[in-house]
Amino acid sequence: MEKVDFKKILKHLYAPKRKFEIVDVPAMQFLMVDGHGLASAEDDPEIAQRYEQALETLYAVAYKLKFISKINLEKDYVVPPLEGLWWADDMNTFITREKTAWDWTMMIMVPEWITQDIFEKAVAEVRKKKAPASLDKLRLEPYHEGLSVQIMHIGSYDDETPVLAKLHSEFIPKNGYAMTGKHHEIYLSDPRKVAPEKLKTVLRQPVKKQ
C-alpha cells in the first residue's frame, strides 16, 4: 500500500526557500482547536496547560484518522506537521513577543477523503480510550488561504521577530500587497528533539493586491 506524503506532494508549501516568495495556497481541510495565550509552565501554568491539551487532542485524533483510513479505506498517509494560525487585536504584539495577548488555532491537515462521518468516528474512538481535555473543542473544517507570502525560517521561534518585521513593514507594502487573514506557521521540527537554532518553521502571511 502506497503511503502518501503531503509534504512531498505539496513541496512548494512545506519546503519553501529562505527568501520571501508568493504562493497560491489551495483549499485544504484541517483538524482545528482554538485557544488564547502562550506561556511557559513557569510563567503561567494554566495557559501552558491549555496549549498542551490542544496539541494532545490534535495528535490523538490525527493518528486515529490515519489508522482508520489505512484499515477501512486502504489509503495510508504520513500525518502532516503541526500548523498554527496566530492573531491578536494588536498585531505588533508578534514583533514585541507579548505572547499572552495572542489568539491561536492549532491544526493538522487531513486528506480530502476524510469525511465528517469518519472524523466523528475517530473522535468517538479517541474518547473511549483517552478523552483528551480539548476533544469537545476539536473540529474538522476547510481552510482556503489563497494568495500568500511565505519563507522558511531556521532558528528559534523568538528569533522570528526580525523576519516578521521585514515581512510586514518592507516586503508586503513595497510589492504592492496588503495583509489579510491570519499569520500562519508550519512546524517542521520537533522542539523536543531539535536544538532551537536548527528549528525549521514555515512563516506565511495571506495577502491581497493593493
Side-chain angles (χ1 to χ4, degrees):
M1 184 187 304
E2 181 183 2
K3 182 181 289 188
V4 178
D5 188 341
F6 293 100
K7 294 199 306 298
K8 294 179 180 179
I9 294 174
L10 301 171
K11 186 177 180 180
H12 66 296
L13 300 180
Y14 287 97
K17 299 175 182 177
R18 296 186 67 182
K19 63 179 183 179
F20 296 123
E21 57 185 11
I22 304 293
V23 291
D24 191 1
V25 185
M28 293 182 277
Q29 64 174 354
F30 293 84
L31 299 174
M32 295 181 169
V33 178
D34 299 327
H36 175 79
L38 190 65
S40 67
E42 292 78 16
D43 292 335
D44 193 320
E46 186 175 342
I47 288 178
Q49 184 181 44
R50 286 199 300 267
Y51 180 79
E52 290 301 321
Q53 288 171 344
L55 300 195
E56 179 189 14
T57 300
L58 282 169
Y59 281 115
V61 175
Y63 278 94
K64 179 59 69 175
L65 283 171
K66 168 186 163 66
F67 177 79
I68 292 173
S69 178
K70 182 178 180 179
I71 300 303
N72 295 1
L73 305 179
E74 297 186 345
K75 292 182 177 182
D76 195 11
Y77 62 94
V78 178
V79 173
L82 179 70
E83 308 188 28
L85 303 177
W86 299 87
W87 69 102
D89 291 337
D90 180 1
M91 290 299 287
N92 284 327
T93 58
F94 288 100
I95 305 300
T96 58
R97 311 307 286 175
E98 297 172 59
K99 300 178 184 180
T100 56
W102 301 350
D103 291 298
W104 45 262
T105 298
M106 303 312 297
M107 57 194 199
I108 295 177
M109 191 266 276
V110 296
E112 73 280 358
W113 62 78
I114 299 297
T115 64
Q116 186 68 29
D117 285 345
I118 296 174
F119 165 71
E120 291 175 2
K121 179 180 180 181
V123 169
E125 291 188 12
V126 169
R127 192 184 302 278
K128 287 180 183 178
K129 293 185 177 181
K130 294 184 69 177
S134 294
L135 195 58
D136 289 336
K137 299 178 182 178
L138 183 71
R139 66 187 187 278
L140 176 68
E141 188 172 291
Y143 184 64
H144 188 188
E145 208 157 25
L147 191 67
S148 301
V149 183
Q150 68 178 18
I151 189 172
M152 176 71 80
H153 171 70
I154 298 180
S156 74
Y157 302 132
D158 285 335
D159 287 343
E160 294 173 6
T161 300
V163 181
L164 295 177
K166 188 174 182 180
L167 172 65
H168 295 170
S169 302
E170 295 182 27
F171 183 87
I172 289 177
K174 287 182 180 179
N175 286 275
Y177 294 100
M179 291 194 297
T180 64
K182 299 168 181 176
H183 173 67
H184 188 170
E185 299 191 351
I186 303 173
Y187 306 102
L188 303 175
S189 305
D190 186 340
R192 298 169 299 178
K193 301 176 181 178
V194 178
E197 65 272 15
K198 295 182 180 179
L199 292 172
K200 291 184 177 181
T201 309
V202 179
L203 306 181
R204 185 183 296 158
Q205 175 61 51
V207 294
K208 64 179 180 180
K209 266 292 187 182
Q210 290 273 43

